[in-house]
Every structure is written in structure tokens, then in C-alpha cells.
Amino acid sequence: MSSPAEARVDLGAIGENVALLRDRAAGAEVMAMVKAEGYGHGLVPAARAALAGGATWLGVAKLAEGLELHEAGLAGRGPGGVRTLVCLGVPGEPYDKGVQAGLDLAAGAPWLVKEIAEAARRAGVPARIHLKADTGMSRGGATGEDWPALVDAALAAEAEGLLRVVGLMSHFACADEPGHPSIGRQLSAFQEMVEHAEKAGIRPEVRHLSNSAATLTIPEARFDLVRPGIAVYGLTPVPREGTFGLRPAMTLVAGAALLKRVPEGSGVSYGHTYVTGRGTNLALVPAGYGDGIPRHGSNVLEVLAAGRRRRIAGRVCMDQFVIDLGDDTLAAGDEIVLFGTGERGEPTAQEWADALGTISYEIVTRIGSRVPRVYTEDPGHRGAKPGNEEPGSVETGSVDG
Ligand SMILES: *Cc1c(COP(=O)(O)O)cnc(C)c1O
């Protein structure tokens, strides 16, 4: 290992997970969500692997992410560029660049439709937009009350030739709780809002509502396109329903930095929140909250070291933490697995999330830019070909955790 800690990303797993989602989407197209650096797995490599697995669209949150995919030759206008949706718009962004790049832009308010239309006028190219409906999450999008005004603003700009409404979309609040009463309500609200828009003259190419959880558990919400994110990376969107056969793509490892013997009663790390109960071997693990290891994991999270699970002993520091090996030993440089697929006995990101009262999304997405991503295709696994990523290639500095 050439760095203190690294995140190994199995691109074959991403390809297989997308293939599984495509099966489950039963004819709907798959937009792989690669926002936030591909949930921490690396934007461009994750996008390539997802496309190799059968995704036909890419989705990001922010314009800069879409532009980065375009510059890499994956998104929007140009040979090999696939349809890519930017889901979150804010005032004052360089939408003309987005329009020129051929990116699809979501808009949930008339002011944004107008801003995109003006950008299209400057760019001299019509924009492609997806109207976003708030069907009950009360986050982005236009509420039922505001929807007619949004549709009218879009139709006016369409009539001027400045844009085309290619999509109608919404987002579930509780798809990860199968049976939640809001699910049916959001589904019918979406159907009504689609119907209103189509009656008013909108001719969308795609209508889409489903995140990972909905793709896997709500068949009637698939429409023309599904937008899975977390499941692409092999993590379950509905933990209480199991793994759905998904395979975690990220394994976080660190090389032991130091081993030492300390006597009974030794206080460990800042604040001495852990005190050794007897003479014991401590190992130093060179990954800390500066790398995205949650400090709340102090004295809580487990890792796999010297063949067994060990709990983090004392506080997680910025760059490192300590584990207590008892009488077991390891050598400096020996590999410690923080989380991974679980196949070798290591915790999964889901287990870390459960122990901390959060979701697996946060565990993988927060792994920082100081941790290089090392791309592999698990040799024991038939994976999809991930474009021109070399197995074992290291991409540093590309992930802004
Ligand atoms: C992040 C996101 C998704 C994917 O959600 P998952 O729960 O990760 O599948 C889908 N749609 C939108 C608009 C999103 O922002």
C-alpha cells in the first residue's frame, strides 16, 4: 500500500449493481446518480462503470459536477456523451455553460426556468429542462399549487424556442420505508401533475420519480426512467429488507502505522476516554476524521485487524486512531480493513452507519480527498468493463470529500 489509507473501489461491482437495477427497472431506463463524487467513489470512474453496467443516463446534483462529466467526455453534447441531469439549481450559476455542454437541467420554479431560458438565448442553443414537482417531500420542486405557473413559464419559453421540456420529475420522501402512507399520496400527486402538464401541452421524453428504494420496492413508480444512487454503489437503500443482492463497491483499508505494548491503566488518545484494563498491544491506524472517519465513532466503531474485529480505542483524532489488540500482534504496514463487503469478516458501511445512527450514504460519501481511490475489478467476479480505467490505477486528488 503506497499511502496510509486507501479506498479500494471495485468497478466491477458498480457495473453488476447497475445491471441488477436495470433488471429490476423492467424496461425503464436507468439514470445512475453520481453526485457528490459518485457517493465518494470517484465521479468519473463511477460514471464509466455505471454506463458499462447498462445505465443510459447520469445524474448529478450540481452544475459543476455535470460540467466535469462533460469535460471528461461522458456527459451531454459530443461523441459518447450521454444524457446527464443536473438536479439542483441555484440563482446565478453559469447555465449558458450547462446549455452549451448539452446538459439537462431540472427546474422547480419559474425564476429558474427564466434564468435557464436567458442563458439559452445567450448560448444560442435551446436548453433541455426537466420540470420538478414537489409531490409531498417539501424540499425541491413546485407544489401542486405552484405547478401550473411553472408549467406556463416553461411553455412560454418553449414557444420562444429557448428550451424544451424533456422531463417531468419528482422525488420520494419515504421510499425507504415500504408501506409508508406518503408513498401512495406522492405517486398519485405525481400522476396528477404529469397529467396537468401534458394536457397543457408539455411532451416529455421521460417521467421519473424513483430513487434506489423505489426502484427496488415500488414497481408502479418506475415510469420511463429510474434514478438509483446508493444501490449503484452496492449499499442497501432499505436496510431492514436486506441487501437485494447488491455488492458494496468500496473497501476502506489502512496500513498499521505502529504497534506497541503498554501496561494496565494506560489512557489512550485525547481525553483518555479508553483506559487499558491490563497490559496490552495497541496498534495505531493512520486514518482519522480528516479522512472522513466519524469522530462519533470513538469507542464505538469496529475494524478488522489481525483476523478479528476490534473496537476503536479512545477518541478518533484528525489523522489517526488506536485499536487494542490484547495479546495479538501485527506488524507495521499490515492491512487493517475499516469497512468493506463483509465477506472477510470486516464491518460494512451499513454496520458503521447503524452503530452511529446514520445512513450508509454518509459513511461512504464523507471519505475525504486525502484518501486515494484505488480502482480494481474484483478478479473473483465477472464484472462489466469499466471503460479505460486500469485495474489498480490510483486517482488522487479527484475526490472532494
Ligand atoms: C440523490 C438522488 C437520487 C438517488 O437517491 P438514492 O436514495 O441514493 O437512490 C435520486 N434522485 C434525486 C433527485 C436525488 O437527489
Side-chain angles (χ1 to χ4, degrees), residues 192-216:
E192 276 167 35
M193 288 161 95
V194 166
E195 197 176 316
H196 169 93
E198 290 179 344
K199 274 200 184 127
I202 303 279
R203 297 285 170 266
E205 293 168 10
V206 285
R207 299 156 301 162
H208 46 108
L209 178 58
S210 290
N211 56 7
S212 297
T215 301
L216 292 166

Side-chain angles (χ1 to χ4, degrees), residues 105-170:
L105 304 169
W111 64 260
L112 184 52
V113 170
K114 285 177 194 135
E115 211 173 303
I116 293 169
E118 286 317 309
R121 198 193 297 280
R122 286 197 304 279
V125 190
R128 292 171 46 91
I129 69 168
H130 298 235
L131 296 183
K132 201 196 283 179
D134 177 1
T135 52
M137 184 166 177
S138 307
R139 193 179 69 173
T143 61
E145 195 176 326
D146 295 338
W147 184 246
L150 178 64
V151 168
D152 289 348
L155 284 168
E158 234 181 28
E160 275 198 80
L162 296 174
L163 56 79
R164 223 181 94 53
V165 179
V166 296
L168 298 174
M169 66 184 289
S170 188

Side-chain angles (χ1 to χ4, degrees), residues 33 35 39 87 139 169 171 211-212 227-230 361:
M33 296 303 294
K35 59 191 175 180
Y39 290 47
C87 291
R139 193 179 69 173
M169 66 184 289
H171 194 55
N211 56 7
S212 297
R227 305 188 306 262
I230 195 69
Y361 300 63

Side-chain angles (χ1 to χ4, degrees), residues 228-312:
I230 195 69
V232 167
Y233 308 99
L235 297 167
T236 177
V238 191
R240 68 173 194 224
E241 305 235 322
T243 67
F244 298 93
L246 299 163
R247 185 176 156 77
M250 185 190 290
T251 296
L252 184 63
V253 298
L258 181 70
L259 185 81
K260 71 173 93 182
R261 185 84 189 169
V262 298
E264 175 190 340
S266 301
V268 176
S269 193
Y270 288 122
H272 283 180
T273 60
Y274 181 87
V275 178
T276 57
R278 59 186 188 90
T280 193
N281 295 328
L282 298 179
L284 184 63
V285 184
Y289 61 79
D291 303 288
I293 310 302
R295 188 169 176 278
H296 276 107
S298 303
N299 291 311
V300 171
L301 294 176
E302 291 182 350
V303 303
L304 182 69
R308 278 186 39 202
R309 291 285 190 98
R310 324 274 174 176
R311 184 161 296 142
I312 293 177

